[in-house]
Amino acid sequence: MTGLAIDDAAWASAWRRRSPADKLLLSGGLVVGALVLPAWPGSVLVALTAVVLALGPARVPALTFGRAIRLPLAFITIGALTAVVQVGDGIGWAPDAATRAGELVGHALAGSAAVLLLATTTPMSDLLPALQRLRVPDAVIEVASVTYRLLFVLLTSLTTIREAQTARMGHSTVRRSYRSSGVLAAAVLTRSWDRARRLQDGLAGRGMETGLRVLPETLPSSRRFEALTVAGLAALVTVGVLA
């Protein structure tokens, strides 16, 4: 257990042993479909496909998937509301507000579901080497790798400090809880900054100018999975365009 629900789901997924390239093909195709197909029925079909694949063959817990999509859904809803407000003589809804909001929510929600399908089935330790083989710039991969590692430092500090505060009655009243939350945020930020600085100094002292080299696990691609992915995406495009 890593402490991150999405990461734990990815390690426990039934698709954990599948090649990251296969899952990138599937999720990338679904994201493109969510962007270019009409919101109805194209984006709806893309979102349903991503959810069904995640909860079905990939065996991602429904509770984890539902919690993971809550935050993107909140941003999408706020974005849709602000996009259909019209400011003129007064504030009101745009004439085609319902259509525009529906299209925006449909495209964004389908794309988010497709990305979550990849995130909940592929650990970062598999995804980063795959991105490196796809010629993604080393600087981008290095930043993503360091950020991923520091997340666990942040979580560990957060848990440790909160447990200490709770043991000292730091959350026994609302007023104490507010004060403890402020102290907790400041302490975690300071510790994270210090750990990041020490990590940078350590890597620089060792001459790590090209990143930390590791031996990635090789997971072969499945021709059958790739063929089914291409056929499924072609069917989605056909139905989304012709329906």
Side-chain angles (χ1 to χ4, degrees):
M1 299 293 284
T2 63
L4 289 176
I6 292 180
D7 206 52
D8 291 339
W11 282 102
S13 168
W15 283 2
R16 161 68 182 86
R17 305 301 302 174
R18 287 203 175 278
S19 168
D22 291 355
K23 290 178 279 188
L24 277 171
L25 174 65
L26 174 59
S27 297
L30 289 175
V31 170
V32 173
L35 293 175
V36 301
L37 291 176
W40 174 262
S43 295
V44 175
L45 290 175
V46 169
L48 287 176
T49 301
V51 172
V52 168
L53 288 176
L55 305 187
R59 298 179 190 171
V60 176
L63 186 60
T64 301
F65 199 88
R67 286 180 174 175
I69 208 167
R70 284 185 306 179
L71 192 58
L73 183 59
F75 280 108
I76 291 169
T77 303
I78 294 172
L81 289 175
T82 56
V84 298
V85 172
Q86 191 174 49
V87 179
D89 297 333
I91 298 177
W93 301 111
D96 55 347
T99 302
R100 290 171 57 185
E103 290 179 349
L104 181 60
V105 171
H107 289 301
L109 195 58
S112 299
V115 172
L116 277 179
L117 173 63
L118 177 66
T120 53
T121 56
T122 312
M124 284 293 287
S125 58
D126 292 346
L127 189 58
L128 293 177
L131 294 176
Q132 199 168 26
R133 287 192 289 271
L134 293 174
R135 307 291 184 185
V136 174
D138 290 340
V140 175
I141 296 175
E142 189 65 20
V143 170
S145 176
V146 172
T147 303
Y148 175 68
R149 291 166 190 160
L150 286 178
L151 279 177
F152 300 102
V153 177
L154 185 69
L155 283 174
T156 303
S157 301
L158 188 71
T159 304
T160 304
I161 297 172
R162 184 170 176 80
E163 287 177 352
Q165 289 178 335
T166 303
R168 296 176 182 179
M169 307 296 287
H171 295 276
S172 57
T173 65
V174 175
R175 185 174 180 178
R176 287 183 178 179
S177 184
Y178 277 124
R179 185 176 181 279
S180 297
S181 298
V183 173
L184 175 64
V188 169
L189 179 63
T190 305
R191 285 193 179 193
S192 302
W193 184 274
D194 181 62
R195 290 294 296 269
R197 182 183 56 77
R198 284 193 287 166
L199 178 61
Q200 182 183 8
D201 292 343
L203 292 176
R206 296 177 184 179
M208 295 287 186
E209 298 179 354
T210 58
L212 187 63
R213 300 295 180 185
V214 296
L215 291 175
E217 185 181 12
T218 302
L219 299 171
S221 297
S222 167
R223 295 293 178 86
R224 182 171 178 269
F225 188 89
E226 291 175 347
L228 289 174
T229 297
V230 173
L233 292 174
L236 276 178
V237 171
T238 303
V239 175
V241 171
L242 298 181

mmCIF file of all heavy atoms in Angstrom, residues 158-194:
data_model
loop_
_atom_site.group_PDB
_atom_site.id
_atom_site.type_symbol
_atom_site.label_atom_id
_atom_site.label_comp_id
_atom_site.label_asym_id
_atom_site.label_seq_id
_atom_site.Cartn_x
_atom_site.Cartn_y
_atom_site.Cartn_z
ATOM 1 N N LEU A 158 2.457 14.458 6.576
ATOM 2 C CA LEU A 158 1.086 14.841 6.915
ATOM 3 C C LEU A 158 0.490 13.888 7.954
ATOM 4 O O LEU A 158 -0.098 14.316 8.955
ATOM 5 C CB LEU A 158 0.241 14.840 5.644
ATOM 6 C CG LEU A 158 -1.177 15.385 5.742
ATOM 7 C CD1 LEU A 158 -1.130 16.898 5.925
ATOM 8 C CD2 LEU A 158 -1.960 15.065 4.467
ATOM 9 N N THR A 159 0.667 12.595 7.734
ATOM 10 C CA THR A 159 0.104 11.597 8.647
ATOM 11 C C THR A 159 0.765 11.659 10.018
ATOM 12 O O THR A 159 0.089 11.620 11.059
ATOM 13 C CB THR A 159 0.271 10.189 8.040
ATOM 14 O OG1 THR A 159 -0.322 10.157 6.751
ATOM 15 C CG2 THR A 159 -0.369 9.149 8.924
ATOM 16 N N THR A 160 2.094 11.772 10.026
ATOM 17 C CA THR A 160 2.829 11.787 11.295
ATOM 18 C C THR A 160 2.453 12.994 12.155
ATOM 19 O O THR A 160 2.181 12.864 13.358
ATOM 20 C CB THR A 160 4.341 11.789 11.020
ATOM 21 O OG1 THR A 160 4.675 10.660 10.209
ATOM 22 C CG2 THR A 160 5.121 11.741 12.315
ATOM 23 N N ILE A 161 2.438 14.158 11.546
ATOM 24 C CA ILE A 161 2.136 15.387 12.302
ATOM 25 C C ILE A 161 0.685 15.378 12.785
ATOM 26 O O ILE A 161 0.391 15.763 13.920
ATOM 27 C CB ILE A 161 2.421 16.625 11.437
ATOM 28 C CG1 ILE A 161 3.904 16.680 11.078
ATOM 29 C CG2 ILE A 161 2.018 17.900 12.167
ATOM 30 C CD1 ILE A 161 4.246 17.759 10.079
ATOM 31 N N ARG A 162 -0.227 14.922 11.942
ATOM 32 C CA ARG A 162 -1.643 14.904 12.350
ATOM 33 C C ARG A 162 -1.874 13.932 13.509
ATOM 34 O O ARG A 162 -2.648 14.216 14.421
ATOM 35 C CB ARG A 162 -2.528 14.543 11.161
ATOM 36 C CG ARG A 162 -4.014 14.601 11.503
ATOM 37 C CD ARG A 162 -4.895 14.488 10.286
ATOM 38 N NE ARG A 162 -6.303 14.462 10.678
ATOM 39 C CZ ARG A 162 -7.002 15.516 10.986
ATOM 40 N NH1 ARG A 162 -6.448 16.715 10.940
ATOM 41 N NH2 ARG A 162 -8.275 15.410 11.337
ATOM 42 N N GLU A 163 -1.217 12.773 13.466
ATOM 43 C CA GLU A 163 -1.347 11.828 14.575
ATOM 44 C C GLU A 163 -0.814 12.430 15.877
ATOM 45 O O GLU A 163 -1.417 12.245 16.953
ATOM 46 C CB GLU A 163 -0.599 10.542 14.236
ATOM 47 C CG GLU A 163 -1.295 9.678 13.187
ATOM 48 C CD GLU A 163 -0.489 8.446 12.819
ATOM 49 O OE1 GLU A 163 0.674 8.345 13.260
ATOM 50 O OE2 GLU A 163 -1.017 7.595 12.083
ATOM 51 N N ALA A 164 0.310 13.159 15.784
ATOM 52 C CA ALA A 164 0.865 13.797 16.983
ATOM 53 C C ALA A 164 -0.083 14.876 17.513
ATOM 54 O O ALA A 164 -0.287 14.992 18.738
ATOM 55 C CB ALA A 164 2.229 14.410 16.651
ATOM 56 N N GLN A 165 -0.685 15.637 16.608
ATOM 57 C CA GLN A 165 -1.631 16.672 17.031
ATOM 58 C C GLN A 165 -2.864 16.050 17.690
ATOM 59 O O GLN A 165 -3.360 16.547 18.703
ATOM 60 C CB GLN A 165 -2.047 17.522 15.832
ATOM 61 C CG GLN A 165 -0.960 18.441 15.308
ATOM 62 C CD GLN A 165 -1.427 19.226 14.101
ATOM 63 O OE1 GLN A 165 -2.332 18.800 13.371
ATOM 64 N NE2 GLN A 165 -0.814 20.388 13.868
ATOM 65 N N THR A 166 -3.359 14.968 17.102
ATOM 66 C CA THR A 166 -4.545 14.309 17.664
ATOM 67 C C THR A 166 -4.246 13.751 19.052
ATOM 68 O O THR A 166 -5.072 13.845 19.968
ATOM 69 C CB THR A 166 -5.001 13.172 16.725
ATOM 70 O OG1 THR A 166 -5.261 13.716 15.433
ATOM 71 C CG2 THR A 166 -6.258 12.512 17.248
ATOM 72 N N ALA A 167 -3.048 13.168 19.231
ATOM 73 C CA ALA A 167 -2.672 12.626 20.543
ATOM 74 C C ALA A 167 -2.572 13.712 21.605
ATOM 75 O O ALA A 167 -2.750 13.434 22.799
ATOM 76 C CB ALA A 167 -1.343 11.880 20.421
ATOM 77 N N ARG A 168 -2.284 14.931 21.184
ATOM 78 C CA ARG A 168 -2.170 16.055 22.125
ATOM 79 C C ARG A 168 -3.450 16.895 22.169
ATOM 80 O O ARG A 168 -3.404 18.072 22.520
ATOM 81 C CB ARG A 168 -0.992 16.929 21.728
ATOM 82 C CG ARG A 168 0.352 16.217 21.830
ATOM 83 C CD ARG A 168 1.492 17.090 21.345
ATOM 84 N NE ARG A 168 2.760 16.363 21.408
ATOM 85 C CZ ARG A 168 3.921 16.875 21.020
ATOM 86 N NH1 ARG A 168 3.968 18.101 20.511
ATOM 87 N NH2 ARG A 168 5.023 16.165 21.117
ATOM 88 N N MET A 169 -4.581 16.306 21.767
ATOM 89 C CA MET A 169 -5.896 16.973 21.807
ATOM 90 C C MET A 169 -5.935 18.199 20.896
ATOM 91 O O MET A 169 -6.660 19.162 21.146
ATOM 92 C CB MET A 169 -6.227 17.389 23.250
ATOM 93 C CG MET A 169 -6.136 16.266 24.265
ATOM 94 S SD MET A 169 -7.356 14.969 23.941
ATOM 95 C CE MET A 169 -8.841 15.803 24.471
ATOM 96 N N GLY A 170 -5.174 18.141 19.818
ATOM 97 C CA GLY A 170 -5.134 19.292 18.922
ATOM 98 C C GLY A 170 -6.382 19.466 18.083
ATOM 99 O O GLY A 170 -6.575 20.530 17.478
ATOM 100 N N HIS A 171 -7.231 18.429 18.023
ATOM 101 C CA HIS A 171 -8.466 18.530 17.235
ATOM 102 C C HIS A 171 -9.684 18.274 18.130
ATOM 103 O O HIS A 171 -10.723 17.823 17.638
ATOM 104 C CB HIS A 171 -8.433 17.516 16.087
ATOM 105 C CG HIS A 171 -7.365 17.785 15.078
ATOM 106 N ND1 HIS A 171 -7.520 18.683 14.030
ATOM 107 C CD2 HIS A 171 -6.098 17.298 14.959
ATOM 108 C CE1 HIS A 171 -6.418 18.715 13.299
ATOM 109 N NE2 HIS A 171 -5.538 17.883 13.845
ATOM 110 N N SER A 172 -9.571 18.569 19.411
ATOM 111 C CA SER A 172 -10.670 18.288 20.340
ATOM 112 C C SER A 172 -11.799 19.309 20.221
ATOM 113 O O SER A 172 -12.945 19.005 20.553
ATOM 114 C CB SER A 172 -10.137 18.289 21.774
ATOM 115 O OG SER A 172 -9.503 19.530 22.064
ATOM 116 N N THR A 173 -11.503 20.515 19.767
ATOM 117 C CA THR A 173 -12.533 21.537 19.553
ATOM 118 C C THR A 173 -12.358 22.143 18.170
ATOM 119 O O THR A 173 -11.311 21.950 17.523
ATOM 120 C CB THR A 173 -12.423 22.655 20.606
ATOM 121 O OG1 THR A 173 -11.165 23.338 20.431
ATOM 122 C CG2 THR A 173 -12.508 22.105 22.027
ATOM 123 N N VAL A 174 -13.375 22.862 17.742
ATOM 124 C CA VAL A 174 -13.305 23.478 16.406
ATOM 125 C C VAL A 174 -12.166 24.491 16.351
ATOM 126 O O VAL A 174 -11.399 24.555 15.379
ATOM 127 C CB VAL A 174 -14.645 24.158 16.066
ATOM 128 C CG1 VAL A 174 -14.548 24.903 14.735
ATOM 129 C CG2 VAL A 174 -15.762 23.123 16.001
ATOM 130 N N ARG A 175 -12.048 25.300 17.435
ATOM 131 C CA ARG A 175 -11.000 26.321 17.444
ATOM 132 C C ARG A 175 -9.611 25.686 17.405
ATOM 133 O O ARG A 175 -8.739 26.113 16.648
ATOM 134 C CB ARG A 175 -11.144 27.179 18.706
ATOM 135 C CG ARG A 175 -10.173 28.346 18.752
ATOM 136 C CD ARG A 175 -10.463 29.222 19.942
ATOM 137 N NE ARG A 175 -9.540 30.341 20.013
ATOM 138 C CZ ARG A 175 -9.592 31.288 20.933
ATOM 139 N NH1 ARG A 175 -10.537 31.237 21.878
ATOM 140 N NH2 ARG A 175 -8.719 32.285 20.934
ATOM 141 N N ARG A 176 -9.403 24.641 18.203
ATOM 142 C CA ARG A 176 -8.108 23.955 18.193
ATOM 143 C C ARG A 176 -7.853 23.280 16.853
ATOM 144 O O ARG A 176 -6.727 23.203 16.377
ATOM 145 C CB ARG A 176 -8.064 22.926 19.313
ATOM 146 C CG ARG A 176 -7.919 23.525 20.706
ATOM 147 C CD ARG A 176 -7.816 22.419 21.739
ATOM 148 N NE ARG A 176 -7.627 22.950 23.074
ATOM 149 C CZ ARG A 176 -7.523 22.205 24.158
ATOM 150 N NH1 ARG A 176 -7.585 20.880 24.051
ATOM 151 N NH2 ARG A 176 -7.355 22.760 25.348
ATOM 152 N N SER A 177 -8.929 22.788 16.237
ATOM 153 C CA SER A 177 -8.776 22.118 14.950
ATOM 154 C C SER A 177 -8.305 23.094 13.869
ATOM 155 O O SER A 177 -7.436 22.768 13.057
ATOM 156 C CB SER A 177 -10.110 21.484 14.549
ATOM 157 O OG SER A 177 -9.959 20.766 13.352
ATOM 158 N N TYR A 178 -8.889 24.321 13.878
ATOM 159 C CA TYR A 178 -8.443 25.346 12.924
ATOM 160 C C TYR A 178 -6.960 25.672 13.137
ATOM 161 O O TYR A 178 -6.179 25.771 12.192
ATOM 162 C CB TYR A 178 -9.282 26.612 13.083
ATOM 163 C CG TYR A 178 -10.596 26.561 12.338
ATOM 164 C CD1 TYR A 178 -11.801 26.757 13.004
ATOM 165 C CD2 TYR A 178 -10.626 26.327 10.961
ATOM 166 C CE1 TYR A 178 -13.007 26.702 12.326
ATOM 167 C CE2 TYR A 178 -11.828 26.268 10.273
ATOM 168 C CZ TYR A 178 -13.018 26.458 10.959
ATOM 169 O OH TYR A 178 -14.206 26.406 10.284
ATOM 170 N N ARG A 179 -6.597 25.846 14.410
ATOM 171 C CA ARG A 179 -5.203 26.194 14.715
ATOM 172 C C ARG A 179 -4.263 25.055 14.318
ATOM 173 O O ARG A 179 -3.208 25.279 13.726
ATOM 174 C CB ARG A 179 -5.061 26.496 16.212
ATOM 175 C CG ARG A 179 -3.675 26.973 16.608
ATOM 176 C CD ARG A 179 -3.632 27.341 18.101
ATOM 177 N NE ARG A 179 -2.312 27.815 18.481
ATOM 178 C CZ ARG A 179 -1.284 27.031 18.748
ATOM 179 N NH1 ARG A 179 -1.423 25.716 18.680
ATOM 180 N NH2 ARG A 179 -0.109 27.542 19.070
ATOM 181 N N SER A 180 -4.639 23.835 14.636
ATOM 182 C CA SER A 180 -3.796 22.681 14.298
ATOM 183 C C SER A 180 -3.665 22.510 12.788
ATOM 184 O O SER A 180 -2.598 22.136 12.285
ATOM 185 C CB SER A 180 -4.378 21.411 14.918
ATOM 186 O OG SER A 180 -4.377 21.501 16.318
ATOM 187 N N SER A 181 -4.755 22.792 12.058
ATOM 188 C CA SER A 181 -4.690 22.662 10.595
ATOM 189 C C SER A 181 -3.706 23.666 10.011
ATOM 190 O O SER A 181 -2.952 23.348 9.070
ATOM 191 C CB SER A 181 -6.084 22.868 9.992
ATOM 192 O OG SER A 181 -6.971 21.878 10.454
ATOM 193 N N GLY A 182 -3.695 24.882 10.546
ATOM 194 C CA GLY A 182 -2.746 25.876 10.076
ATOM 195 C C GLY A 182 -1.303 25.480 10.362
ATOM 196 O O GLY A 182 -0.421 25.598 9.499
ATOM 197 N N VAL A 183 -1.077 24.988 11.577
ATOM 198 C CA VAL A 183 0.270 24.529 11.940
ATOM 199 C C VAL A 183 0.679 23.347 11.073
ATOM 200 O O VAL A 183 1.833 23.234 10.623
ATOM 201 C CB VAL A 183 0.313 24.148 13.433
ATOM 202 C CG1 VAL A 183 1.655 23.515 13.784
ATOM 203 C CG2 VAL A 183 0.053 25.375 14.307
ATOM 204 N N LEU A 184 -0.284 22.445 10.821
ATOM 205 C CA LEU A 184 -0.006 21.267 9.991
ATOM 206 C C LEU A 184 0.414 21.679 8.580
ATOM 207 O O LEU A 184 1.408 21.173 8.037
ATOM 208 C CB LEU A 184 -1.255 20.384 9.935
ATOM 209 C CG LEU A 184 -1.204 19.162 9.020
ATOM 210 C CD1 LEU A 184 -0.156 18.187 9.502
ATOM 211 C CD2 LEU A 184 -2.567 18.489 8.966
ATOM 212 N N ALA A 185 -0.326 22.611 7.965
ATOM 213 C CA ALA A 185 0.005 23.058 6.604
ATOM 214 C C ALA A 185 1.394 23.691 6.565
ATOM 215 O O ALA A 185 2.196 23.415 5.652
ATOM 216 C CB ALA A 185 -1.058 24.048 6.122
ATOM 217 N N ALA A 186 1.703 24.535 7.551
ATOM 218 C CA ALA A 186 3.010 25.195 7.570
ATOM 219 C C ALA A 186 4.143 24.182 7.763
ATOM 220 O O ALA A 186 5.186 24.248 7.084
ATOM 221 C CB ALA A 186 3.041 26.230 8.695
ATOM 222 N N ALA A 187 3.939 23.222 8.656
ATOM 223 C CA ALA A 187 4.993 22.234 8.921
ATOM 224 C C ALA A 187 5.231 21.332 7.717
ATOM 225 O O ALA A 187 6.384 21.033 7.370
ATOM 226 C CB ALA A 187 4.601 21.400 10.142
ATOM 227 N N VAL A 188 4.147 20.896 7.062
ATOM 228 C CA VAL A 188 4.302 20.020 5.899
ATOM 229 C C VAL A 188 4.991 20.764 4.767
ATOM 230 O O VAL A 188 5.870 20.217 4.072
ATOM 231 C CB VAL A 188 2.924 19.494 5.456
ATOM 232 C CG1 VAL A 188 3.023 18.798 4.100
ATOM 233 C CG2 VAL A 188 2.374 18.526 6.482
ATOM 234 N N LEU A 189 4.611 22.026 4.555
ATOM 235 C CA LEU A 189 5.239 22.809 3.492
ATOM 236 C C LEU A 189 6.736 22.978 3.755
ATOM 237 O O LEU A 189 7.570 22.805 2.858
ATOM 238 C CB LEU A 189 4.563 24.175 3.388
ATOM 239 C CG LEU A 189 5.124 25.117 2.321
ATOM 240 C CD1 LEU A 189 4.937 24.518 0.934
ATOM 241 C CD2 LEU A 189 4.435 26.485 2.388
ATOM 242 N N THR A 190 7.086 23.289 5.009
ATOM 243 C CA THR A 190 8.497 23.483 5.355
ATOM 244 C C THR A 190 9.296 22.197 5.187
ATOM 245 O O THR A 190 10.395 22.188 4.614
ATOM 246 C CB THR A 190 8.604 23.968 6.808
ATOM 247 O OG1 THR A 190 7.812 25.133 6.976
ATOM 248 C CG2 THR A 190 10.043 24.293 7.162
ATOM 249 N N ARG A 191 8.741 21.086 5.664
ATOM 250 C CA ARG A 191 9.443 19.804 5.540
ATOM 251 C C ARG A 191 9.614 19.402 4.076
ATOM 252 O O ARG A 191 10.672 18.906 3.671
ATOM 253 C CB ARG A 191 8.673 18.710 6.278
ATOM 254 C CG ARG A 191 8.812 18.775 7.787
ATOM 255 C CD ARG A 191 8.294 17.502 8.405
ATOM 256 N NE ARG A 191 8.414 17.502 9.847
ATOM 257 C CZ ARG A 191 8.259 16.420 10.594
ATOM 258 N NH1 ARG A 191 7.975 15.263 10.029
ATOM 259 N NH2 ARG A 191 8.370 16.489 11.902
ATOM 260 N N SER A 192 8.566 19.607 3.278
ATOM 261 C CA SER A 192 8.635 19.234 1.863
ATOM 262 C C SER A 192 9.687 20.062 1.146
ATOM 263 O O SER A 192 10.453 19.550 0.321
ATOM 264 C CB SER A 192 7.269 19.433 1.202
ATOM 265 O OG SER A 192 6.294 18.675 1.857
ATOM 266 N N TRP A 193 9.715 21.349 1.445
ATOM 267 C CA TRP A 193 10.705 22.227 0.824
ATOM 268 C C TRP A 193 12.123 21.785 1.210
ATOM 269 O O TRP A 193 13.023 21.730 0.371
ATOM 270 C CB TRP A 193 10.445 23.664 1.274
ATOM 271 C CG TRP A 193 11.357 24.667 0.620
ATOM 272 C CD1 TRP A 193 12.598 25.049 1.021
ATOM 273 C CD2 TRP A 193 11.095 25.379 -0.594
ATOM 274 N NE1 TRP A 193 13.124 25.970 0.160
ATOM 275 C CE2 TRP A 193 12.233 26.192 -0.846
ATOM 276 C CE3 TRP A 193 10.015 25.411 -1.470
ATOM 277 C CZ2 TRP A 193 12.291 27.037 -1.945
ATOM 278 C CZ3 TRP A 193 10.091 26.257 -2.572
ATOM 279 C CH2 TRP A 193 11.208 27.052 -2.799
ATOM 280 N N ASP A 194 12.315 21.437 2.469
ATOM 281 C CA ASP A 194 13.638 21.020 2.936
ATOM 282 C C ASP A 194 14.057 19.708 2.293
ATOM 283 O O ASP A 194 15.202 19.553 1.860
ATOM 284 C CB ASP A 194 13.609 20.907 4.469
ATOM 285 C CG ASP A 194 14.961 20.498 5.027
ATOM 286 O OD1 ASP A 194 15.927 21.262 4.841
ATOM 287 O OD2 ASP A 194 15.057 19.412 5.626
#
